[in-house]
Amino acid sequence: MQRSVFEQQLQIAVELDLPVVIHTREADADTRDILRNYSAALARKGVIHSFTSTLALAEFCLAEGFMLGFNGITTFKGADNVRQAVAATPLDQLVLETDAPYLTPVPFRGRPNAPYYLPFIARTVALIKELEVEELLRQTYSNSQNLFFANVSNTLSSNTTGNLH
């Protein structure tokens, strides 16, 4: 049933020209198989949210044009696989996430997560990518804007007649 619903959601994204947000866990083969069938038709692709899978899935998704989303897990002691995926992700395909209220970064793990912890995630990702935090933040902000809001200004411009109420 999950496969069927996932495919239906991807088809809706294709028809509406929307990016997708995919959270896959312990389903690398299914995710790869399904995305192979839809990736070419998804003009705006999307993000593999809260990425925790293998480097092989990361490389597949990146090659298909998806972004990878990284959150507080990047700071967890046992998350070497996530840090490997961060290292392999081109800067223009990386977004930062909180996944609030869960996955709070170290040193606040165990507390409810919130967007104000994003600097801890950014610092860890910047260290992995060997970048200044400001450069990482500029690029990930731009990536998020391009992914989710690329058509918003065009849509607003074409639907506005100059009379705002």
Side-chain angles (χ1 to χ4, degrees), residues 21-165:
V21 178
I22 299 169
H23 190 157
T24 182
R25 189 168 167 210
E26 298 176 12
D28 288 14
D30 286 339
T31 302
R32 230 181 348 263
D33 291 346
I34 292 169
L35 287 181
R36 247 187 218 109
N37 294 328
Y38 286 89
S39 183
L42 286 164
R44 295 184 55 201
K45 304 297 182 205
V47 62
I48 310 302
H49 157 72
S50 191
F51 191 86
T52 58
S53 292
T54 63
L55 186 56
L57 183 64
E59 290 170 342
F60 170 82
C61 292
L62 293 167
E64 292 295 312
F66 289 88
M67 293 191 187
L68 300 184
F70 297 101
N71 54 38
I73 293 173
T74 60
T75 68
F76 294 4
K77 184 179 178 182
D80 291 334
N81 65 313
V82 175
R83 288 185 287 277
Q84 285 178 334
V86 169
T89 302
L91 192 55
D92 65 347
Q93 287 181 273
L94 194 150
V95 294
L96 300 178
E97 307 173 325
T98 63
D99 203 36
Y102 306 106
L103 306 176
T104 308
V106 172
F108 301 101
R109 193 168 177 190
R111 297 181 189 172
N113 200 3
Y116 51 80
Y117 289 129
L118 200 60
F120 296 93
I121 299 163
R123 184 170 48 218
T124 299
V125 171
L127 283 171
I128 295 166
K129 301 298 285 177
E130 299 179 352
L131 299 168
E132 294 295 323
V133 173
E134 293 76 16
E135 182 182 350
L136 175 79
L137 291 173
R138 273 191 299 277
Q139 183 64 52
T140 56
Y141 177 80
S142 176
N143 294 347
S144 297
Q145 291 293 309
N146 290 336
L147 178 62
F148 294 110
F149 303 108
N151 294 337
V152 173
S153 61
N154 294 339
T155 303
L156 289 175
S157 298
S158 64
N159 290 335
T160 303
T161 61
N163 296 323
L164 298 176
H165 301 280

